Amino acid sequence: MAAEPAAGQAGHVTLVGGGPGTGELLTVAAVKALRDADVVFYDRLAPYQELASLTSAELVDVGKRPGHHKVSQGDIEKLMVASALEGNNVVRLKGGDPYVFGRGGEEVASCVAAGVPVRVISGVTSAVSVPAAAGIPVTHREVSHMFTVVSGHAPLTEKELTHLAGLGGTIVVLMGIGTLHHLAAGLRRAGMRSDMPMAVVERGYRPGQKTTIAELGNIATAAAGCSNPAVLVIGEVVRVAEANRGHAEAEAELDRLAASLLGS
Ligand code: SAH
């Protein structure tokens, strides 16, 4: 059991980035903050299944799924602040990094407005780590020297699509399944090649992780059965993953061959 807070003593809030969903990718600071917490308010994208082994704090599920807001953002902020004002050491555990499409800035602002001390522990964002789970480097020498991280929550404007298509670097899209059709068609209209490689990586680091690779021109059909959470990657780096995978498979085959020769 977590210790009772001392009467009259003010608590504080720590926003913790939980990484893409596996306890293995929590930072050391995140593990310490969880260990010291009295209460943890957690999201569904955070590594919540492992929480019981990481902390003895009270665990509160404020998980949200697209379209099913279990606890509203405003209520989450009120709950966090009220708990800290009661004297608790509160952890707000979020998926990935708190400041990447995580509404972390709003949660900090509501603590500041209520006079509650607050700090933020960065997390491993899914924007980089989920492509990596599929072997895709978001940058690669002589292939892509920039990556842009985009929210697919709302459709992009024509102007944004034109700029994005003109950049020539890797495009990473979070929350992009619902607008995938619109994005692919829009990038084509903006002049991107229809054979530009594209990947959809679903459920990174979780059971059922799946990668679908296609091209901009046929991704909408290829990814018809894909669901959230997923990260989309558009760019030549997707081919690097395919080449590396081929290499890894060839190495494994050589290892097997060497082992069987040595064994015989
Ligand atoms: N703050 C988070 C992002 C929150 S937005 C971060 O930095 O990662 C939620 C989106 O993140 C999801 O819709 C999905 O696009 C992506 N995402 C988070 N975890 C994921 C995972 N394990 N696998 C695939 N996508 C994931």
Side-chain angles (χ1 to χ4, degrees), residues 19-22 45 66 94-103 123-127 129-130 173-177 201-206 228-232:
T22 163
L45 283 173
K94 306 174 73 70
D97 183 274
Y99 283 163
V100 179
F101 307 135
R103 307 190 74 167
V124 174
T125 181
S126 65
S129 61
V130 170
V173 189
L174 270 52
M175 301 176 278
I177 293 293
V201 188
E202 298 170 84
R203 298 177 292 277
Y205 301 93
R206 298 176 189 196
N228 280 310
V231 172
L232 321 181

Side-chain angles (χ1 to χ4, degrees), residues 185-244:
L187 288 173
R188 288 280 299 120
R189 273 200 307 283
M192 193 177 272
R193 293 173 7 232
S194 72
D195 66 349
M196 181 61 83
M198 182 160 175
V200 179
V201 188
E202 298 170 84
R203 298 177 292 277
Y205 301 93
R206 298 176 189 196
Q209 177 181 318
K210 190 177 143 218
T211 308
T212 304
I213 293 182
E215 293 175 349
L216 190 62
N218 61 11
I219 189 74
T221 321
C226 293
S227 59
N228 280 310
V231 172
L232 321 181
V233 188
I234 304 162
E236 293 294 345
V237 290
V238 171
R239 292 209 208 282
V240 176
E242 287 182 300
N244 282 350

Side-chain angles (χ1 to χ4, degrees), residues 120-143:
V120 178
I121 296 175
S122 297
V124 174
T125 181
S126 65
V128 175
S129 61
V130 170
I136 303 170
V138 289
T139 68
H140 192 74
R141 221 166 97 82
E142 290 171 2
V143 175

Side-chain angles (χ1 to χ4, degrees), residues 15-78:
L15 256 65
V16 175
T22 163
E24 295 280 300
L25 286 178
L26 282 170
T27 64
V28 174
V31 171
K32 281 188 187 153
L34 285 167
R35 195 187 53 205
D36 296 343
D38 299 312
V39 185
V40 178
F41 294 100
Y42 65 94
D43 274 352
R44 282 305 170 99
L45 283 173
Y48 63 94
Q49 273 146 336
E50 290 150 73
L51 275 180
S53 64
L54 293 165
T55 182
S56 55
E58 180 193 343
L59 303 178
V60 184
D61 178 2
V62 291
K64 294 173 282 183
R65 283 174 293 134
H68 298 81
H69 284 230
K70 197 168 178 191
V71 181
S72 75
Q73 181 65 27
D75 285 344
I76 292 173
E77 289 167 21
K78 282 190 199 126

Side-chain angles (χ1 to χ4, degrees), residues 77-165:
E77 289 167 21
K78 282 190 199 126
L79 283 170
M80 269 166 34
V81 165
S83 182
L85 289 174
E86 278 169 22
N88 287 313
N89 176 358
V90 176
V91 161
R92 170 75 176 107
L93 182 67
K94 306 174 73 70
D97 183 274
Y99 283 163
V100 179
F101 307 135
R103 307 190 74 167
E106 293 165 55
E107 294 177 9
V108 168
S110 61
C111 291
V112 171
V116 170
V118 57
R119 67 183 177 126
V120 178
I121 296 175
S122 297
V124 174
T125 181
S126 65
V128 175
S129 61
V130 170
I136 303 170
V138 289
T139 68
H140 192 74
R141 221 166 97 82
E142 290 171 2
V143 175
S144 173
H145 62 222
M146 65 177 96
F147 63 100
T148 309
V149 182
V150 179
S151 165
H153 184 67
L156 297 182
T157 64
E158 285 302 309
K159 197 172 169 190
E160 287 168 334
L161 287 162
T162 305
H163 287 307
L164 211 48

